[in-house]
Amino acid sequence: MDDNASNVLLLEGILQEEDYSAYLSITDSRQVLPIFLEYHPDLILLDLQMPYLNGFEVMKQLSPHIPPEAFLPILVLTADITSEAKRQALAGGAMDFLTKPFDATEVILRIRNLLQTRELHLQLQNQNQLLEQKVRSRTAELEETQNEILERLALAAEYRDDDTGEHTKRVGQMAAQIAQALCLPQVEVELIRRAALLHDVGKIGIPDSILLKPGKLSPEEFSHMQTHTTRGAQMLSGGRFPLLQRAEEIALTHHERWDGMGYLGLHGDTIPVAGRIVAVADVFDALTNKRPYKKAWPRAEAIEEVQRQSGRQFDPRVVEAFLKVVNNSHD
Ligand SMILES: [Fe+2]
């Protein structure tokens, strides 16, 4: 861009001499922005003293369209320039200066340097993006593997007293729906869906004679059975990922009661919300399904029982959310 047509012709001649052909010359500074937006050039040669918009005003107009990471060089063309104007041009986005009258060698040298720098910059940016993409997909793979292992661990634990493996899945599903109805963040809802699968993982450490006993447990057997919460939490403890941390929390607290009469005696809000949610989902699923020592309750009766326990065994807000979930589903 130079308002002086003979300067433009001169520059074109120099470029042609060096076999550059992808250039566009204009002499009206008001055309810079529309032309820029249409052609997305790799380099701008810009005069400073021009009618309509001077070079500083053009740079100001362009700057919102040139993000810093774009690395688009502006080469300022100028006759004798003061150091104040130079400073101003650099601040406005200029990367180098060409002094008129032009010296062909100097023009080509500057242009080549700036184009090369831009290319290297873009290559680097590309490489960085590729690397970031790789890291992202590796992280996703890692997470996927971790989920798979945890799901298998949950299955292994459950296989001993329910060889279908459906209980943990249903509890995870229901817990996620309750979390959703409580308006927890989506990330948390998904964490709870997966972490809830492991709520009874500590049962791996409970002997068959207790776990599979058809009749009522003796007090000693029952207190042994209760240790599945702390055993599970121990197995899952020290995890670095949020999923393991949430699973540990749920394993430890899913038998806590709102009124403080649960396994560990935690009460109310001191019980982590994930534990309070899984407590409801776990009991509801146990009631509505057959166990060695009891038959399945009708759905309506199980819902009533959960409601009756609001404020006693269960957090009233969680029960409210649970009711929204069961009243919305029609299975
Ligand atoms: Fe349990």
Side-chain angles (χ1 to χ4, degrees):
M1 164 69 227
D2 196 321
D3 61 301
N4 184 329
S6 58
N7 271 341
V8 168
L9 273 177
L10 187 65
L11 282 171
E12 283 183 347
I14 296 172
L15 287 170
Q16 278 160 13
E17 195 69 21
E18 290 294 317
D19 288 334
Y20 284 105
S21 56
Y23 56 81
L24 198 86
S25 314
I26 46 177
T27 51
D28 182 340
S29 60
R30 293 167 299 185
Q31 288 299 310
V32 176
L33 184 60
I35 294 271
F36 170 80
L37 292 175
E38 192 177 345
Y39 290 93
H40 300 288
D42 291 302
L43 170 66
I44 298 174
L45 278 64
L46 182 66
D47 191 13
L48 279 186
Q49 277 87 42
M50 304 179 288
Y52 309 121
L53 298 166
N54 67 31
F56 298 111
E57 287 163 330
V58 169
M59 283 192 272
K60 209 172 180 179
Q61 236 186 15
L62 289 174
S63 88
H65 302 278
I66 307 177
E69 70 275 12
F71 194 84
L72 177 78
I74 295 177
L75 180 52
V76 164
L77 316 170
T78 175
D80 55 314
I81 185 170
T82 65
S83 57
E84 169 57 20
K86 261 190 180 163
R87 200 196 51 74
Q88 208 186 334
L90 283 173
M95 277 197 192
D96 209 341
F97 303 94
L98 267 178
T99 323
K100 298 179 206 179
F102 299 127
D103 171 77
T105 316
E106 199 188 348
V107 169
I108 286 305
L109 214 65
R110 294 276 155 90
I111 288 178
R112 200 175 284 154
N113 277 345
L114 285 175
L115 285 176
Q116 239 167 35
T117 313
R118 172 170 165 80
E119 201 189 340
L120 287 174
H121 189 90
L122 292 182
Q123 274 177 7
L124 196 67
Q125 217 172 51
N126 239 332
Q127 249 164 23
N128 283 343
Q129 271 169 9
L130 276 175
L131 277 178
E132 271 168 34
Q133 230 170 40
K134 252 194 194 149
V135 169
R136 265 200 303 275
S137 78
R138 285 282 153 85
T139 310
E141 257 173 52
L142 197 67
E143 236 182 270
E144 204 41 58
T145 313
Q146 186 203 9
N147 281 337
E148 216 180 287
I149 291 173
L150 289 181
E151 266 168 44
R152 280 157 198 244
L153 184 60
L155 265 178
E158 187 174 21
Y159 198 73
R160 299 186 43 221
D161 62 342
D162 168 17
D163 55 14
T164 65
E166 291 301 315
H167 168 69
T168 57
K169 263 186 224 146
R170 285 191 308 257
V171 170
Q173 208 54 30
M174 172 62 80
Q177 283 177 298
I178 296 174
Q180 185 107 55
L182 281 169
C183 299
L184 296 189
Q186 202 51 40
V187 181
E188 188 59 34
V189 172
E190 288 315 314
L191 267 186
I192 288 177
R193 184 192 312 282
R194 304 193 136 161
L197 295 178
L198 292 151
H199 68 281
D200 272 344
V201 75
K203 282 188 178 171
I204 284 180
I206 306 296
D208 284 353
S209 59
I210 298 174
L211 192 64
L212 304 177
K213 187 174 174 181
K216 208 171 171 323
L217 298 179
S218 72
E220 299 84 66
E221 286 169 338
F222 184 66
S223 70
H224 200 93
M225 184 68 159
Q226 284 185 319
T227 62
H228 80 273
T229 56
T230 45
R231 283 169 197 271
Q234 263 166 23
M235 289 171 56
L236 299 167
S237 72
R240 266 192 312 131
F241 293 95
L243 179 59
L244 265 179
Q245 290 162 354
R246 191 64 73 255
E248 176 188 354
E249 191 177 85
I250 289 172
L252 187 66
T253 62
H254 71 280
H255 285 289
E256 293 311 296
R257 294 176 49 116
W258 184 252
D259 60 12
M261 306 296 282
Y263 287 10
L264 302 169
L266 300 179
H267 64 89
D269 283 337
T270 59
I271 309 163
V273 66
R276 282 179 263 148
I277 290 172
V278 172
V280 172
D282 187 26
V283 166
F284 178 69
D285 195 76
L287 289 178
T288 48
N289 288 280
K290 176 163 86 56
R291 290 284 163 100
Y293 47 88
K294 70 162 212 29
K295 57 184 178 71
W297 290 28
R299 186 180 155 87
E301 273 175 45
I303 293 173
E304 259 173 52
E305 171 61 16
V306 170
Q307 240 173 325
R308 242 192 319 275
Q309 292 299 335
S310 174
R312 297 176 189 161
Q313 188 172 357
F314 303 132
D315 175 355
R317 278 184 56 240
V318 173
V319 172
E320 217 175 285
F322 162 80
L323 291 174
K324 270 189 217 161
V325 171
V326 290
N327 291 331
N328 277 338
S329 70
H330 299 286
D331 45 48

